[in-house]
Amino acid sequence: MTRPFSSYIVTPKELHDELRKNIPTESPKIIPVSAEWYLPNDGRDGRQEFLKLRIPGARFFDLDTIKDPVSPYPHMVPTTSVFTEAMKDLGISRDDTVVVFDSPTLGIFSAPRAAWTFKVFGHPKVHLLNNFKQWVDEGYPTESGPEKPISKTEYPAFEPNHGMISSFEEIKSIAQSNANGKKIQIIDARPNGRWRGKDPEPRPGLSSGHAPKSISLPFTSLIDPMTRRLKPTEELKEVILSSGIDPSSDVEKRLMCGTGVTAVVLDVALEQAGIGGNRKVYDGSWTEWAQRVDESSGLIVKA
């Protein structure tokens, strides 16, 4: 099967046109995958919202279960066994094309993290829908209610690509000016009020603030407030450069947020805008950082 989409970002029309060619009993196929997820203080539940409205035949990628089962932090990259078993349960084969989408209200939020997880495990054909809100607004088919039974598939076990993942130790080293000669920028996707330490974190008891040397680039600044779509390339580039991010390829980027979810919105935006430099997502992000350091160490800055 040839690659059906010309770019990582897919429009509703492109997805709809390709889904019409799908033969449900044949493989490989195109599978829409919902990664609908909400912050702890939101009140909504991703799976319950998925059951209310979704693309027909979509599978649900649960960020709260497809993760490292023993880590104390919320959304760490899953183990090989967890990811592999999840793919089997979702009826996804290695040669299927997956198109990941978000909720119709948030537009672009948690889907990039799920798509990135597919890529961490080397799934060959992964795309991001931009976006489900537009899919609904333009009248493309939807369904609701209980999911139809899914036939389990075989899915080979692959180790995660650790070259895509940053750690607490690396971020701490960068924050303490010990980057081993590398030029590295830490970029934080949380709202600026949380980055500055003025607004509370959505997780009770967790200090707000930011890591030393980090740059504030709220992921919401990369999303059109009306359509909830990722902004056009030139607008993305303007927002990114105005935040102080170096576009050159010799400056590496380390991306963080609250739990490693919206950091991947930054990853997508940097790629779309043509910003250079090796990128890694700090998996534990602020939830890990704020539990392992404190203000007295100088590693939580409020300003």
Side-chain angles (χ1 to χ4, degrees), residues 22-82:
N22 254 0
I23 301 175
T25 57
E26 293 187 7
S27 188
K29 51 190 173 291
I30 297 169
I31 301 178
V33 176
S34 170
E36 192 163 352
W37 179 82
Y38 298 92
L39 288 169
N41 60 353
D42 185 283
R44 287 175 288 182
D45 176 82
R47 181 177 289 279
Q48 293 306 311
E49 295 301 315
F50 166 77
L51 294 175
K52 294 177 184 177
L53 191 70
R54 60 186 181 271
I55 295 172
R59 318 293 161 82
F60 183 70
F61 188 107
D62 191 342
L63 288 172
D64 287 328
T65 60
I66 306 175
K67 63 176 185 177
D68 185 335
V70 300
S71 173
Y73 309 113
H75 298 119
M76 303 295 272
V77 166
T79 60
T80 295
S81 61
V82 167

Side-chain angles (χ1 to χ4, degrees), residues 15-290:
L15 177 58
H16 178 254
D17 289 349
E18 290 299 327
L19 286 175
R20 292 177 65 186
K21 303 174 188 176
N22 254 0
I23 301 175
T25 57
E26 293 187 7
S27 188
K29 51 190 173 291
I30 297 169
I31 301 178
V33 176
S34 170
E36 192 163 352
W37 179 82
Y38 298 92
L39 288 169
N41 60 353
D42 185 283
R44 287 175 288 182
D45 176 82
R47 181 177 289 279
Q48 293 306 311
E49 295 301 315
F50 166 77
L51 294 175
K52 294 177 184 177
L53 191 70
R54 60 186 181 271
I55 295 172
R59 318 293 161 82
F60 183 70
F61 188 107
D62 191 342
L63 288 172
D64 287 328
T65 60
I66 306 175
K67 63 176 185 177
D68 185 335
V70 300
S71 173
Y73 309 113
H75 298 119
M76 303 295 272
V77 166
T79 60
T80 295
S81 61
V82 167
F83 182 80
T84 303
E85 289 305 311
M87 295 304 100
K88 293 177 181 179
D89 290 342
L90 291 173
I92 296 173
S93 300
R94 186 78 176 175
D95 54 357
D96 288 334
T97 298
V98 297
V99 180
V100 190
F101 66 97
D102 249 298
S103 78
T105 53
L106 298 180
I108 297 290
F109 182 59
S110 50
R113 170 70 190 204
W116 177 83
T117 303
F118 275 99
K119 294 198 288 184
V120 165
F121 283 92
H123 192 90
K125 298 174 183 175
V126 186
H127 298 273
L128 180 68
L129 180 65
N130 190 25
N131 59 17
F132 187 39
K133 181 183 186 303
Q134 184 178 350
W135 176 283
V136 173
D137 289 347
E138 294 183 355
Y140 291 114
T142 60
E143 66 179 12
S144 60
E147 299 172 79
K148 295 175 183 177
I150 297 171
S151 298
K152 290 188 68 169
T153 54
E154 290 300 316
Y155 197 96
F158 282 81
E159 292 297 313
N161 178 1
H162 292 287
M164 297 173 65
I165 308 165
S166 186
S167 65
F168 169 82
E169 289 76 18
E170 183 187 31
I171 300 300
K172 184 178 180 181
S173 180
I174 297 166
Q176 293 178 324
S177 302
N178 182 20
N180 296 319
K182 293 181 180 178
K183 297 178 182 177
I184 303 177
Q185 290 183 320
I186 303 170
I187 311 170
D188 194 321
R190 291 174 301 145
N192 186 259
R194 286 163 58 190
W195 182 86
R196 294 173 61 216
K198 304 298 184 184
D199 296 335
E201 291 294 313
R203 290 164 183 82
L206 199 67
S207 173
S208 58
H210 62 271
K213 300 181 172 40
S214 67
I215 296 170
S216 175
L217 179 58
F219 83 93
T220 52
S221 67
L222 307 168
I223 307 297
D224 185 291
M226 297 298 294
T227 66
R228 309 303 301 167
R229 288 169 50 84
L230 200 66
K231 288 180 177 178
T233 299
E234 287 306 312
E235 289 184 37
L236 288 176
K237 191 169 185 178
E238 182 180 347
V239 172
I240 291 166
L241 294 181
S242 67
S243 72
I245 294 170
D246 192 318
S248 61
S249 59
D250 62 342
V251 177
E252 299 188 12
K253 280 77 178 178
R254 299 295 180 264
L255 314 176
M256 65 184 295
C257 57
T259 64
V261 173
T262 59
V264 190
V265 179
L266 302 188
D267 186 61
V268 174
L270 292 170
E271 177 69 24
Q272 294 300 305
I275 303 300
N278 173 262
R279 302 187 304 275
K280 294 182 182 182
V281 173
Y282 173 22
D283 208 18
S285 276
W286 187 255
T287 299
E288 179 183 25
W289 185 262

